Amino acid sequence: GQQVMQIPQYQHVQEGEDFTTYCNSSTTLSNIQWYKQRPGGHPVFLIQLVKSGEVKKQKRLTFQFGEAKKNSSLHITATQTTDVGTYFCAGSSGNDYKLSFGAGTTVTVRA
Amino acid sequence: ETGVTQSPTHLIKTRGQQVTLRCSSQSGHNTVSWYQQALGQGPQFIFQYYREEENGRGNFPPRFSGLQFPNYSSELNVNALELDDSALYLCASSSRLADTQYFGPGTRLTVL
């Protein structure tokens, strides 16, 4: 079955620095979604990417979908303490509407 | 807030018991998906309901079952609870299949 992998599992960042988290799928995806989960909270939708090579920005967050639609990345610039949490990518493929989540990247920020 | 609500918030059960979790989808949404999130892991898809019919199922045994009602709210039932069933159970609603899913706050189930 479809597997979605994320690296790194943990990201410890100095406030103000940039970082990137990566997502790779074992199969071609029809779309990929990114979610953020704060400690003790539930996943909150950030963005969906559908097109090959698509790039979308949300303020300091840049999301990219690979040309082969099998990988994605999330880049955060000038990290702030509000960026703390776990970032999940989730993909679906073909007519299978279920979302397969990665294990997430847990981000901590040093002030 | 997404408008998706779940009840109860927390639940403690013992092995072998049965549990029913409830989810009210966001207004206008006819699709509900259920996920199990173990501590430190990503959500795992259990199943999805679309217009009261099961539309897909993940790798969960038959003791995990569900329902969707005409108002599109949904239930997740788990029979013969096992210790490994301890997790956060999330429901997510969307306005149509393959659309963006909006998660509820979850039900934290502890099986002793």
Side-chain angles (χ1 to χ4, degrees):
Chain A
Q2 179 182 296
Q3 290 187 339
V4 176
M5 292 146 287
Q6 278 185 260
I7 55 170
Q9 184 177 0
Y10 298 99
Q11 185 81 55
H12 307 291
V13 189
Q14 180 71 42
E15 191 174 17
E17 289 184 341
D18 303 350
F19 75 90
T20 303
T21 176
Y22 300 90
C23 179
N24 292 287
S25 170
S26 59
T27 59
T28 302
L29 301 171
S30 57
N31 70 80
I32 194 155
Q33 301 177 24
W34 285 87
Y35 292 80
K36 178 182 178 181
Q37 185 172 22
R38 294 183 182 275
H42 59 277
V44 174
F45 173 79
L46 294 177
I47 209 157
Q48 176 173 275
L49 304 171
V50 178
K51 299 177 183 177
S52 169
E54 188 171 14
V55 178
K56 288 188 177 181
K57 292 189 176 184
Q58 286 182 352
K59 298 183 180 178
R60 297 178 294 102
L61 277 61
T62 301
F63 304 84
Q64 186 167 10
F65 202 7
E67 293 291 339
K69 301 183 75 173
K70 295 182 72 174
N71 58 73
S72 181
S73 64
L74 160 59
H75 181 77
I76 299 182
T77 59
T79 304
Q80 300 177 359
T81 54
T82 53
D83 296 325
V84 164
T86 301
Y87 294 83
F88 293 101
C89 63
S92 63
S93 57
N95 292 322
D96 185 351
Y97 299 119
K98 73 175 187 180
L99 280 179
S100 294
F101 279 78
T105 294
T106 298
V107 177
T108 55
V109 179
R110 300 188 299 273
Chain B
E1 292 300 322
T2 62
V4 180
T5 60
Q6 290 186 245
S7 62
T9 306
H10 296 87
L11 202 52
I12 300 175
K13 292 284 189 178
T14 56
R15 273 188 306 173
Q17 285 189 310
Q18 178 267 342
V19 69
T20 297
L21 310 181
R22 295 177 175 82
C23 171
S24 291
S25 59
Q26 186 171 324
S27 177
H29 287 186
N30 57 20
T31 304
V32 173
S33 302
W34 285 92
Y35 295 83
Q36 179 195 68
Q37 186 177 24
L39 200 60
Q41 297 182 21
Q44 299 296 310
F45 176 78
I46 303 175
F47 42 56
Q48 182 183 75
Y49 279 85
Y50 172 64
R51 293 185 177 179
E52 303 178 58
E53 298 279 337
E54 186 179 291
N55 184 57
R57 190 178 183 91
N59 295 324
F60 282 82
R63 60 189 185 84
F64 285 78
S65 63
L67 282 173
Q68 188 178 32
F69 300 99
N71 66 355
Y72 302 129
S73 65
S74 178
E75 283 184 356
L76 164 65
N77 299 291
V78 187
N79 294 323
L81 284 167
E82 301 177 359
L83 297 179
D84 285 349
D85 295 333
S86 295
L88 179 67
Y89 287 85
L90 297 159
C91 80
S93 76
S94 56
S95 59
R96 54 186 170 87
L97 295 173
D99 203 355
T100 302
Q101 297 187 18
Y102 296 91
F103 283 84
T107 294
R108 173 76 59 188
L109 173 65
T110 302
V111 183
L112 302 176

